[in-house]
């Protein structure tokens, strides 16, 4: 039989004094009362308790890997995560204090300039594409020489940051509506919206509504003809939040970047298909002439003179370091492989969904690895919103929403395929989608017109 030795009560007391949790059944969950949530507690709690209780609350969040709504990176290599942890305390604005972090930012700008075929570009990192778009819009407005109320021409499919820019900087948004099967801006509609007070045209390389590229080269050619005929000479800003990190690798012959003289500036999100955790963005101008120098501040900060153009000042350097890690680690062929894998999964999924009688494709993921689909005419009694809710029961977050003005009759589901969303996960998603369709077809159909899924574009 096993032998047991009674513990020494004096020793137990000594250990308990050193660590108040020794001997308790569960030091985290056995607390007699929890600290308040909406005000500071009178006393601190042990770090183990604080961690576990907050960790448990966050279990109620959806799984980031099963989130097919977000464009934002949800997986990075362990080595990149280590680098980010090592740099989390570095302030990106402190160029003199962290000169090597600043050097990595400079290298990233040079790498993007090379990818986007700029010979003398100037640019910077930002907290994301929203800030990058604001900066690009400010430059367009400052370069404009009109005398009336400035306006900015763009499709109604633009991300909301452009509408924010127009409201914050008192610019009239000329939102070109969708029409029929045209779901984004085209050359003809862009030119029709321009007048002498237009500060620029925003062309989107990868619409968030359906993943399609806008025809930047065609828009540029139309603007060239307009200027040559005596009309306004209007620059283009390319919002490449997603496509700016896809097209250079998968569509190298596509003319959309600084190869087009009409393109004055480009932004992208490092934290989308740049493959970095949020939040980092980038904005580049063709040359220093495209960025009015009166917008650039020279700041004497921490002992050094530093030019800066940003809406934010202090922000972490970890994401910039992670961006350089990806550029250095993957190179051209690595990025090409990663992006091609995402596009392959998107086109595989869309092809399988196209074979289901209940759905009709809007796009198929052959530009951005993103596609949209809607219900077919054969479906009665349930809609895309019901599908979105049914998939959520299995953990999948798939947004359902209506298109903007003029096509609000069209409601779609959209799937974003990112690095880490494998063919295996795609097959599991297809199985659950088929299961959702089967269930919706069997239950009381009068309850299946369910309304918006809670997704906000």
């Amino acid at each position: 039989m096993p032998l047991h030795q009674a513990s020494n009560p004096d020793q137990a007391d000594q250990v308990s004094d050193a660590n108040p949790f020794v001997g308790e059944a569960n030091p985290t969950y056995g607390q007699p009362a929890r600290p308040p949530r909406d005000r500071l507690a009178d006393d601190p709690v042990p770090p183990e308790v604080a961690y576990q209780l907050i960790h448990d609350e966050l279990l109620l969040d959806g799984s980031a890997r099963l989130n097919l709504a977000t464009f934002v990176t949800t997986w990075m290599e362990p080595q990149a995560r280590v680098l980010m942890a090592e740099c989390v305390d570095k302030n990106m604005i402190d160029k003199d204090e962290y000169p090597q972090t600043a050097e990595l930012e400079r290298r990233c700008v040079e790498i993007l300039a090379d990818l986007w075929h700029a010979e003398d570009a100037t640019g910077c990192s930002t907290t994301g594409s929203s800030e990058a778009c604001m900066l690009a819009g400010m430059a367009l407005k400052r370069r404009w020489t009109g005398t009336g109320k400035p306006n900015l021409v763009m499709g109604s499919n633009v991300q909301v940051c452009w509408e924010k820019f127009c409201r914050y900087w008192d610019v009239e948004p000329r939102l070109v509506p969708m029409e029929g099967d045209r779901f984004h801006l085209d050359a003809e509609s862009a030119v029709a919206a321009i007048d002498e007070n237009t500060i620029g045209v925003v062309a989107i390389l990868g619409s968030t509504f359906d993943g399609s590229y806008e025809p930047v080269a065609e828009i540029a050619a139309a603007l060239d003809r307009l200027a040559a005929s005596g009309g306004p000479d209007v620059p283009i800003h390319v919002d490449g939040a997603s496509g700016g990190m896809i097209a250079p690798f998968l569509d190298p012959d596509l003319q959309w970047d600084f190869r087009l003289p009409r393109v004055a500036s480009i932004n992208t999100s490092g934290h989308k298909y740049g493959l970095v955790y949020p939040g980092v963005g980038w904005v580049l101008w063709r040359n220093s002439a495209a960025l009015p120098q009166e917008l650039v501040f020279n700041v004497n900060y921490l002992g050094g003179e530093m030019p800066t153009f940003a809406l934010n000042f202090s922000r972490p350097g970890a994401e910039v370091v992670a961006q350089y890690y990806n550029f250095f680690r993957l190179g051209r062929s690595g990025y090409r492989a990663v992006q091609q894998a995402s596009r392959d999964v998107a086109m595989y999924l869309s092809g399988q969904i196209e074979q289901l009688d209940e759905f009709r494709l809007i796009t198929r993921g052959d530009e951005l690895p993103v596609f949209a689909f809607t219900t077919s005419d054969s479906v009665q009694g349930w809609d895309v919103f019901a599908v979105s809710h049914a998939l959520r029961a299995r953990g999948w977050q798939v947004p359902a929403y209506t298109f903007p003005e003029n096509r609000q009759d069209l409601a779609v589901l959209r799937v974003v395929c990112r690095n880490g969303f494998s063919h295996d996960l795609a097959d599991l998603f297809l199985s659950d989608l088929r299961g959702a369709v089967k269930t919706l077809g069997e239950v009381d159909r009068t309850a299946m017109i369910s309304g918006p899924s809670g997704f906000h574009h």
Side-chain angles (χ1 to χ4, degrees):
M1 61 182 294
L3 299 176
H4 301 278
Q5 181 176 357
S7 61
N8 185 324
D10 294 335
Q11 289 180 343
D13 289 342
Q14 292 171 4
V15 173
S16 183
D17 289 341
N19 184 346
F21 294 122
V22 170
E24 294 185 13
N26 190 323
T28 300
Y29 301 114
Q31 297 297 299
R34 62 173 175 78
R37 292 174 175 170
D38 302 319
R39 61 177 176 82
L40 289 177
D42 294 330
D43 300 305
V45 298
E48 298 88 349
V49 173
Y51 166 80
Q52 191 65 55
L53 295 182
I54 295 172
H55 170 84
D56 289 351
E57 282 200 33
L58 291 173
L59 292 174
L60 298 174
D61 278 345
S63 167
R65 293 287 298 281
L66 300 184
N67 185 353
L68 303 184
T70 184
F71 284 76
V72 174
T73 296
T74 55
W75 184 87
M76 289 192 75
E77 292 179 331
Q79 294 86 349
R81 296 200 299 270
V82 171
L83 273 176
M84 293 183 76
E86 292 173 352
C87 298
V88 72
D89 58 346
K90 295 184 179 182
N91 189 349
M92 194 64 235
I93 204 67
D94 297 350
K95 310 292 187 186
D96 285 328
E97 301 297 308
Y98 307 115
Q100 203 58 34
T101 302
E103 168 62 14
L104 298 189
E105 179 188 34
R106 185 198 66 78
R107 293 180 195 173
C108 288
V109 169
E110 292 291 331
I111 289 169
L112 288 171
D114 180 59
L115 278 178
W116 297 342
H117 300 93
E119 296 181 359
D120 188 30
T122 184
C124 61
S125 65
T126 62
T127 52
S129 265
S130 292
E131 183 188 5
C133 291
M134 299 284 175
L135 300 181
M138 289 166 62
L140 289 175
K141 185 178 180 184
R142 186 55 64 99
R143 290 179 59 198
W144 169 68
T145 58
T147 57
K149 182 178 177 59
N151 66 73
L152 185 65
V153 172
M154 49 198 168
S156 60
N157 56 310
V158 292
Q159 214 269 352
V160 70
C161 68
W162 285 107
E163 297 182 64
K164 286 184 177 181
F165 164 77
C166 289
R167 186 176 300 180
Y168 296 164
W169 273 271
D170 196 25
V171 173
E172 176 195 350
R174 293 270 177 94
L175 294 170
V176 176
M178 296 179 177
E179 196 71 48
D181 291 333
R182 178 180 59 76
F183 300 128
H184 56 226
L185 189 68
D186 64 7
E188 181 180 1
S189 56
V191 170
I194 287 171
D195 62 21
E196 65 277 5
N197 292 316
T198 300
I199 66 174
V201 172
V202 176
I204 306 173
L205 198 71
S207 171
T208 57
F209 276 90
D210 62 5
S212 62
Y213 291 164
E214 290 186 340
V216 183
E218 293 177 17
I219 294 171
L223 295 181
D224 289 343
R225 291 191 295 271
L226 178 66
S229 65
D233 190 7
V234 180
I236 290 176
H237 172 79
V238 177
D239 184 345
S242 295
M245 289 291 198
I246 295 288
F249 305 108
L250 302 188
D251 310 296
D253 296 328
L254 182 68
Q255 298 281 318
W256 66 274
D257 54 15
F258 291 120
R259 285 172 289 184
L260 301 172
R262 180 92 19 202
V263 172
S265 50
I266 302 172
N267 72 275
T268 196
S269 289
H271 60 226
K272 293 181 180 175
Y273 287 101
L275 310 180
V276 178
Y277 288 140
V280 61
W282 302 91
V283 57
L284 270 66
W285 289 266
R286 168 179 294 280
N287 49 43
S288 57
L291 174 60
Q293 288 305 298
E294 58 265 32
L295 293 176
V296 178
F297 285 82
N298 287 292
V299 181
N300 189 329
Y301 188 66
L302 295 179
E305 192 76 10
M306 178 190 64
T308 177
F309 181 36
L311 300 180
N312 294 290
F313 202 64
S314 293
R315 56 187 175 85
E319 288 83 0
V320 169
V321 172
Q323 183 72 82
Y324 183 71
Y325 170 86
N326 277 341
F327 285 159
F328 183 75
R329 158 85 173 89
L330 294 175
R332 284 183 179 268
S333 64
Y335 260 94
R336 187 179 303 113
V338 169
Q339 313 300 34
Q340 186 65 59
S342 295
R343 183 180 280 181
D344 289 346
V345 170
M347 295 188 67
Y348 165 73
L349 259 183
S350 66
Q352 292 295 307
I353 291 171
E354 188 176 27
Q355 296 177 27
L356 301 178
D357 293 337
E358 293 83 1
F359 297 114
R360 175 173 63 89
L361 288 183
I362 303 300
T363 50
R364 59 182 62 252
D366 55 344
E367 293 180 322
L368 289 190
V370 175
F371 64 93
F373 60 104
T374 188
T375 51
S376 65
D377 294 337
S378 66
V379 171
Q380 300 292 324
W382 52 269
D383 58 13
V384 294
F385 303 104
V387 177
S388 178
H389 284 294
L391 289 170
R392 187 174 286 268
R394 288 285 293 163
W396 300 105
Q397 300 170 64
V398 183
Y401 52 89
T402 57
F403 272 32
E405 184 181 0
N406 274 28
R407 286 311 318 263
Q408 290 173 325
D409 59 304
L410 178 60
V412 304
L413 293 152
R414 188 199 66 202
V415 171
V416 177
C417 299
R418 304 180 308 278
N419 185 29
F421 185 62
S422 63
H423 276 276
D424 182 59
L425 282 175
D427 283 331
L428 292 173
F429 172 75
L430 279 170
S431 176
D432 287 335
L433 178 63
R434 293 186 180 107
V437 168
K438 185 174 186 294
T439 300
L440 291 172
E442 293 173 348
V443 300
D444 177 12
R445 293 187 174 192
T446 61
M448 287 298 101
I449 302 296
S450 54
S453 63
F455 170 74
H456 298 285
H457 192 273

